Amino acid sequence: MASSPDVASAGNTPENPGNGSPSEAPRTAGTTGGERRGRVRARRVAVMAVPATLVAAGLAVLTAQGALGVQFAISGMPFTVTATELDGTGFEQFGGLDTMADGSPNAGDTGGQELIVTSAIKNATLTKLCQSVDLGGTNLLITAGSGSDKVTASDLTTDSSQLSGDAAFNNIEIGTDASTLTKAGVKGPIGVFSQQADTVRIANLRQTNYATTAGVFKLPGLKLRFSDSGC
């Protein structure tokens, strides 16, 4: 089962977690955004991102250091995920940090860390799933679940920096300590704000993700291709 390892919180509370990161690394003298994009672009052509999705409501992240939602160093390349509808049972959500590999060219001035919201769903069903990764001039596009069979996932955790949609929850608990979550089998660090619900339904799902894990991920009608446009 995919799960998020517990990481102790430093107790920091960012004023605006969506607009920054907890640490910064100085840029190399003479380096411009265009030059960095050029270096990263050569590496992106080999990327094969794992199809993923995430559901979340607006969560105020109250800590700058939380549990990692994944068990690996992230690439630092965000990917877009959309679905016309997601239905899930066993939903949890809490704030955290994801970390890139040492020396990642995608780190920029973030210090190799991304502030994210970790969401966990015990069982999820998605309609018309789309995922795209910007490789710099082209997009790796993945679609699935457009026919009669829908995409299904179990023990799904995903880390996201942006998300939107029309959500409805059943028996939601807001303000739970992340270390006491019970709905999806994933526990966050003690002292971290979280929420959980028996079920979740979200229409017009759209998010920017950095990582995902799943116990089982079934994608009927999977199509992978390069495209001028993303999801």
Side-chain angles (χ1 to χ4, degrees):
M1 179 180 74
S3 63
S4 302
D6 291 349
V7 178
S9 171
N12 295 327
T13 304
E15 293 296 329
N16 191 358
N19 294 330
S21 58
S23 59
E24 293 185 355
R27 292 182 180 272
T28 302
T31 299
T32 66
E35 291 171 343
R36 176 178 170 270
R37 182 178 178 85
R39 292 198 304 271
V40 174
R41 194 169 176 179
R43 292 174 171 82
R44 289 181 172 177
V45 295
V47 172
M48 189 65 66
V50 179
T53 191
L54 165 74
V55 60
L59 172 66
V61 180
L62 301 184
T63 179
Q65 289 188 331
L68 296 179
V70 293
Q71 298 172 325
F72 48 82
I74 63 169
S75 69
M77 294 173 58
F79 52 94
T80 299
V81 173
T82 65
T84 57
E85 186 173 89
L86 180 147
D87 288 284
T89 58
F91 169 77
E92 301 173 354
Q93 190 175 70
F94 53 91
L97 282 174
D98 276 354
T99 304
M100 303 177 203
D102 291 342
S104 172
N106 298 323
D109 59 1
T110 68
Q113 293 181 318
E114 292 291 343
L115 188 63
I116 50 83
V117 174
T118 294
S119 293
I121 304 176
K122 188 63 178 177
N123 294 287
T125 301
L126 302 106
T127 303
K128 294 184 179 179
L129 175 67
C130 178
Q131 177 185 291
S132 61
V133 183
D134 184 356
L135 303 179
T138 189
N139 292 272
L140 176 62
L141 185 67
I142 298 171
T143 57
S146 297
S148 58
D149 294 329
K150 299 181 180 181
V151 172
T152 59
S154 64
D155 296 319
L156 177 70
T157 66
T158 312
D159 290 357
S160 175
S161 61
Q162 296 182 27
L163 42 97
S164 63
D166 302 313
F169 301 91
N170 184 37
N171 293 330
I172 190 169
E173 301 172 3
I174 302 173
T176 304
D177 190 292
S179 67
T180 66
L181 293 170
T182 60
K183 301 295 185 180
V186 177
K187 294 184 183 299
I190 190 170
V192 173
F193 181 96
S194 70
Q195 60 185 12
Q196 63 178 355
D198 288 344
T199 66
V200 60
R201 187 172 193 175
I202 191 164
N204 304 315
L205 175 67
R206 185 176 188 88
Q207 63 235 97
T208 301
N209 297 338
Y210 278 95
T212 189
T213 63
V216 176
F217 212 160
K218 297 182 178 180
L219 296 104
L222 174 66
K223 294 181 180 179
L224 185 151
R225 58 198 180 277
F226 291 100
S227 173
D228 293 335
S229 59
C231 297

